[in-house]
Amino acid sequence: MTISERSMNRPVGIKPDPSKKPVYLTKAQREQLALQDEIADQKRCHEHLQAKYNCPSSDNHYCGKNRKRDRDRNSDRDRDREKEPNRVRLENPAEKELEAIHEQYLGSKKPKKRVITSSAKLRSSFDWQNSEDTSRDVNPLYQNPHEARPHFGRGFFGGIDRREQKKLAIKNEREMQEEIWKKGGVEATAVEAAALKKKEQNADLYDTFDMRVDQHWTDKKLEEMTERDWRIFREDYNISYKGSRIPCPMRNWTESKLTTELLKAVERAGYKKPSPIQMASIPLGLQQRDVIGVAETGSGKTAAFVLPMLNYITRLPPLSEENEADGPYAVVMVPTRELAQQIEDETVKFAHYLGIKVVSIVGGQSIEEQGFRIRQGCEVVIATPGRLLDCLERRYCVMNQCNYVVLDEADRMIDMGFGPQVVGVLDAMPSSNMKPKNEDEELDEKKIYRTTYMFSATMPPAVERLARNYLRNPAVVTIGTVGKATDLITQHVFMVKESEKMFKLQRFLDELGDKTAIVFINSRKRVDTVAKNLDKSGYRVTTLHGGKSQEQREISLEGFRTKKYNVLVASDVAGRGIDIPDVAHVINYDMPNKLEAYTHRIGRTGRAGKTGVATTFLTLQDTEVFYDLTQMLIQSNSHVPPELARHEASKLKPGSIPGRPPRRNDIVFTH
Ligand SMILES: Nc1ncnc2c1ncn2[C@@H]1O[C@H](COP(=O)(O)OP(=O)(O)OP(=O)(O)O)[C@@H](O)[C@H]1O
């Protein structure tokens, strides 16, 4: 309202003066004016209502009623406001904010909404308490429930006297039984009474230490071994399995279930205790399970497949004129001739006590003669795949009754390009004897199935592919870590220049004394050159590589075995499987271009529980293996030369993308 408008309702005592300009009113005057306006408004309203309803203002019933209702409504509202102070307060934004802060820091005072879970909905609730249960158990055993009476420090497990518990239980059983008999008016028969008495005696004799957790598995009989003991046993020998229905490993030779003749042969061989791979895989082989065995070099893998193979042959009818033309009962395939001959020796060691004939078929010898020997009848053939397939294709021999196959150093055979030959030989065997692909299918106990064994210290993907096609439900046995060198070998790596290698090699050979060493070189030509240089310098050196005739190779190896020569300079031909006792030092004059080859090469020392030393000369040309070698050295707690550790190639696996998180199959070693 403007000042001119207000002049219409001018306060009493303020005279209007039109000639004068509008005057400024003080606050008090304005308040007075507003009050007069309010009174005038109310008066007008009152008169208007009076005129409308024509009733005197003092005793107007409607108005009185209305006023009463308004008053009631107001008082109700006040009461509600008192009841809901929060709601009222929240209408004020400042208080609302204060309330929110309060809730944030001190929690809400509002009652929480009860969430009813679906399980709670289904839970039945009884409307009586446990204490209201007045029924009494007729069984005295449950009337006075047994209480644990701990006897700590008295030699009882968990402080519980289990013998006392058992005695109390049998006493209660007797009392109850007698009451039943009494009620039924019958007497216990002699048998029933004797049975009760026996139970009482047993409870009396009960051994409180029946749970012999204090006993180590070595002190237990086979039948006492628990699941926990087997777990500890497997951990003790670093044995791990993959596959279903795996039998327990054998703890010693007597528990092995090998035939008595074979056990005698094992004893004669001087094998006092089975090695971990033998403990784990012989029971599997005896069950004719297909096995993939991965174990360190020199850990006795040969006997691990030879013994169950011979055991299997003893169960078959001896070879006769009728079936000797059907070929051998078992075949072992290996990558190199030397290895074939070595396995032949190991097999003959056990087989000749059983009258089992073993023939090796390798290149470099007369194929006709070898074919003739097979046709004359032999239970076991040990062969390199190329020569064996040649024999089969030329019909010198057949595989009609061969149901036991061993692929030793399978990865090396694939690596050397023998994959098609291996497959060719496998396909020449009767496929009708393959186990069903579905592992749940029942095996016919009377039928002989093909058993396939695959062994190596390393197992790359190509071998796994072969395994998938030719092995059925294989049990994978791993001893220690796949691809890891044995801890018995001390590994040294030196960063050198090519020109320094010969000088350094001679220094190491000078320290040999009467011990023996194998020097590995990557090419045949360099093998000959280095051997010639060493020979000139007066060392007793012999060589072994694929370029030599079979006869020369055999003479060299035999000369080294008999210590006529104390240094063998060799190519990778000698890298796998060759078992020459007491090789003290393996020197990698050249670093191989794959870590698997490194593992096998250095594995020519530190065999059958003995220790050994491996020295490797590394140059800046070997960056391809820097990463893997560094990881291997770290893993085996060996010294990593600073130049190698610092090198870029040691930090990243060749072909990998920097910054990519490790894949599932990547092995990451920590320092
Ligand atoms: N239970 C045993 N007790 C004692 N010596 C054993 C036992 N088993 C095997 N050996 C010996 O251990 C040596 C290594 O065995 P073997 O050649 O079978 O090892 P490997 O695991 O096949 O090695 P590689 O991986 O290098 O081929 C052999 O001289 C063998 O006679």
Side-chain angles (χ1 to χ4, degrees):
M1 196 185 279
T2 62
I3 294 169
S4 53
E5 278 171 328
R6 279 191 189 283
S7 59
M8 301 280 291
N9 301 314
R10 199 166 293 112
V12 189
I14 302 173
K15 298 262 165 59
D17 188 355
S19 63
K20 283 193 178 168
K21 283 183 186 170
V23 283
Y24 178 79
L25 300 179
T26 63
K27 192 179 174 195
Q29 285 171 332
R30 271 183 278 136
E31 275 175 1
Q32 200 182 348
L33 261 179
L35 193 65
Q36 281 175 0
D37 285 352
E38 185 78 28
I39 292 164
D41 276 354
Q42 277 188 7
K43 213 171 179 180
R44 262 199 311 277
C45 176
H46 189 75
E47 282 164 5
H48 172 75
L49 283 171
Q50 248 184 352
K52 195 171 179 188
Y53 297 105
N54 198 22
C55 64
S57 62
S58 55
D59 56 2
N60 183 321
H61 179 65
Y62 173 81
C63 290
K65 236 189 195 175
N66 246 6
R67 216 174 294 129
K68 188 168 178 292
R69 197 163 59 215
D70 285 351
R71 209 174 41 237
D72 285 354
R73 207 180 289 147
N74 284 346
S75 67
D76 278 356
R77 211 178 296 140
D78 288 348
R79 217 179 307 129
D80 284 353
R81 252 184 228 140
E82 273 163 30
K83 267 191 201 165
E84 296 175 30
N86 287 344
R87 194 176 65 80
V88 175
R89 237 185 292 136
L90 288 180
E91 277 162 16
N92 180 351
E95 289 200 1
K96 226 177 188 177
E97 195 185 337
L98 204 68
E99 183 72 16
I101 295 168
H102 187 277
E103 263 181 32
Q104 187 179 354
Y105 291 101
L106 300 171
S108 173
K109 281 182 193 161
K110 283 182 206 161
K112 270 190 191 155
K113 201 178 163 194
R114 208 172 142 229
V115 182
I116 301 170
T117 57
S118 49
S119 61
K121 273 184 207 160
L122 296 171
R123 206 179 300 142
S124 48
S125 65
F126 299 102
D127 51 4
W128 45 266
Q129 301 282 310
N130 263 357
S131 54
E132 291 167 38
D133 183 10
T134 50
S135 70
R136 280 187 76 236
D137 206 308
V138 286
N139 188 341
L141 194 63
Y142 302 117
Q143 282 172 16
N144 303 308
H146 180 79
E147 281 168 23
R149 290 179 206 139
H151 291 73
F152 288 106
R154 296 196 204 170
F156 299 111
F157 283 109
I160 305 289
D161 185 349
R162 297 190 64 191
R163 189 193 298 170
E164 268 314 305
Q165 283 184 356
K166 285 211 172 264
K167 274 161 73 174
L168 190 68
I170 187 66
K171 186 172 156 261
N172 286 330
E173 190 185 329
R174 169 183 274 280
E175 281 169 7
M176 211 167 70
Q177 194 63 54
E178 279 171 356
E179 210 176 305
I180 292 167
W181 284 327
K182 210 165 129 191
K183 273 186 194 160
V186 288
E187 276 193 11
T189 62
V191 179
E192 284 168 338
L196 267 180
K197 199 167 170 68
K198 180 114 185 91
K199 274 189 182 176
E200 269 177 351
Q201 280 170 352
N202 283 350
D204 231 14
L205 293 173
Y206 185 80
D207 184 356
T208 20
F209 291 97
D210 66 322
M211 283 167 61
R212 293 180 172 271
V213 284
D214 56 329
Q215 251 187 338
H216 192 255
W217 61 262
T218 41
D219 302 326
K220 286 190 178 181
K221 290 185 196 143
L222 185 60
E223 53 279 9
E224 288 173 349
M225 290 285 282
T226 61
E227 194 41 55
R228 179 177 175 272
D229 292 321
W230 284 118
R231 205 181 61 239
I232 294 169
F233 175 83
R234 289 195 297 267
E235 277 167 17
D236 284 354
Y237 288 104
N238 243 323
I239 299 171
S240 47
Y241 292 108
K242 238 199 260 175
S244 57
R245 297 195 287 261
I246 308 273
C248 291
M250 60 189 213
R251 300 183 301 170
N252 48 49
W253 290 115
T254 31
E255 285 173 11
S256 69
K257 297 199 185 107
L258 289 169
T259 62
T260 329
E261 292 79 25
L262 265 177
L263 286 178
K264 270 190 203 152
V266 167
E267 203 184 320
R268 282 188 207 112
Y271 294 1
K272 293 197 172 62
K273 208 174 155 241
S275 69
I277 185 71
Q278 291 162 358
M279 289 171 172
S281 56
I282 290 177
L284 284 161
L286 293 178
Q287 286 191 357
Q288 289 203 56
R289 280 288 295 275
D290 288 1
V291 178
I292 297 178
V294 186
E296 297 170 336
T297 51
S299 58
K301 290 190 284 289
T302 316
F305 63 74
V306 163
L307 291 170
M309 178 177 77
L310 295 178
N311 202 85
Y312 158 78
I313 293 170
T314 54
R315 287 171 40 216
L316 301 176
L319 283 185
S320 64
E321 277 181 8
E322 278 161 35
N323 67 348
E324 61 192 17
D326 282 334
Y329 282 144
V331 159
V332 180
M333 279 189 267
V334 292
T336 62
R337 300 168 189 180
E338 284 73 21
L339 192 52
Q341 277 155 1
Q342 187 181 295
I343 292 173
E344 184 187 0
D345 294 343
E346 182 84 353
T347 313
V348 168
K349 194 153 75 179
F350 304 111
H352 86 269
Y353 296 107
L354 312 168
I356 293 174
K357 276 193 261 165
V358 184
V359 168
S360 74
I361 309 277
V362 294
Q365 289 171 356
S366 156
I367 191 166
E368 289 82 9
E369 201 184 302
Q370 287 171 344
F372 176 72
R373 280 169 64 202
I374 296 181
R375 280 198 307 280
Q376 281 210 312
C378 71
E379 283 90 350
V380 182
V381 164
I382 296 160
T384 46
R387 174 53 66 98
L388 184 57
L389 188 66
D390 212 3
C391 267
L392 290 167
E393 281 171 352
R394 293 200 207 179
R395 303 280 184 269
Y396 286 130
C397 67
V398 287
M399 293 279 162
N400 291 351
Q401 51 187 359
C402 179
N403 285 311
Y404 208 105
V405 192
V406 179
L407 305 174
D408 193 20
E409 308 286 357
D411 58 326
R412 180 69 180 146
M413 286 196 279
I414 306 289
D415 229 27
M416 289 167 80
F418 285 144
Q421 284 89 335
V422 172
V423 169
V425 175
L426 291 174
D427 289 341
M429 294 173 192
S431 60
S432 54
N433 293 336
M434 290 286 278
K435 287 175 205 130
K437 274 197 173 170
N438 180 6
E439 61 179 88
D440 296 328
E441 214 171 291
E442 279 287 304
L443 296 186
D444 183 352
E445 282 190 2
K446 287 181 196 136
K447 196 176 160 182
I448 290 175
Y449 291 97
R450 187 196 295 178
T451 304
T452 313
Y453 254 59
M454 260 191 181
F455 273 86
S456 183
T458 46
M459 197 58 65
V463 183
E464 285 187 31
R465 272 197 296 279
L466 185 77
R468 232 173 287 142
N469 288 334
Y470 289 94
L471 272 68
R472 295 282 185 266
N473 181 25
V476 184
V477 181
T478 313
I479 312 295
T481 313
V482 180
K484 185 181 165 274
T486 157
D487 293 334
L488 297 166
I489 306 170
T490 312
Q491 300 175 56
H492 299 298
V493 172
F494 296 99
M495 289 298 294
V496 296
K497 288 191 187 114
E498 193 60 48
S499 54
E500 295 168 353
K501 282 184 176 177
M502 180 52 80
F503 174 76
K504 283 201 184 288
L505 172 66
Q506 292 190 1
R507 295 290 74 75
F508 284 119
L509 296 183
D510 289 341
E511 288 166 16
L512 264 186
D514 58 349
K515 293 184 198 137
T516 53
I518 303 180
V519 180
F520 281 104
I521 295 175
N522 287 356
S523 78
R524 298 171 185 179
K525 216 168 160 192
R526 272 160 58 80
V527 167
D528 287 333
T529 320
V530 170
K532 210 181 260 175
N533 282 341
L534 290 176
D535 189 45
K536 271 192 209 155
S537 307
Y539 297 96
R540 289 184 288 132
V541 190
T542 186
T543 55
L544 183 68
H545 61 72
K548 296 182 90 176
S549 74
Q550 186 57 31
E551 201 186 349
Q552 282 171 326
R553 280 161 72 161
E554 281 172 27
I555 291 170
S556 285
L557 211 52
E558 196 49 34
F560 184 61
R561 267 188 217 281
T562 54
K563 296 199 177 166
K564 181 177 170 194
Y565 308 104
N566 71 339
V567 180
L568 173 71
V569 184
S571 69
D572 259 333
V573 160
R576 292 260 183 165
I578 297 297
D579 179 51
I580 297 161
D582 303 324
V583 173
H585 204 158
V586 166
I587 300 165
N588 280 312
Y589 190 84
D590 293 331
M591 174 71 196
N593 57 6
K594 276 195 179 155
L595 197 77
E596 278 135 22
Y598 171 85
T599 310
H600 285 279
R601 278 184 184 183
I602 66 169
R604 299 314 100 205
T605 183
R607 298 176 72 77
K610 291 181 188 143
T611 55
V613 178
T615 302
T616 301
F617 297 155
L618 206 62
T619 69
L620 290 175
Q621 314 305 314
D622 303 314
T623 49
E624 205 182 335
V625 282
F626 273 16
Y627 176 83
D628 287 337
L629 182 64
T630 311
Q631 298 299 320
M632 161 81 104
L633 294 174
I634 292 168
Q635 192 197 17
S636 55
N637 287 327
S638 306
H639 173 69
V640 184
E643 292 140 287
L644 176 64
R646 278 198 304 267
H647 200 281
E648 274 308 303
S650 307
K651 291 173 191 154
L652 198 66
K653 196 170 174 63
S656 62
I657 302 154
R660 174 183 69 79
R663 292 222 173 97
R664 198 153 49 93
N665 293 343
D666 288 358
I667 300 171
V668 179
F669 301 111
T670 49
H671 290 256

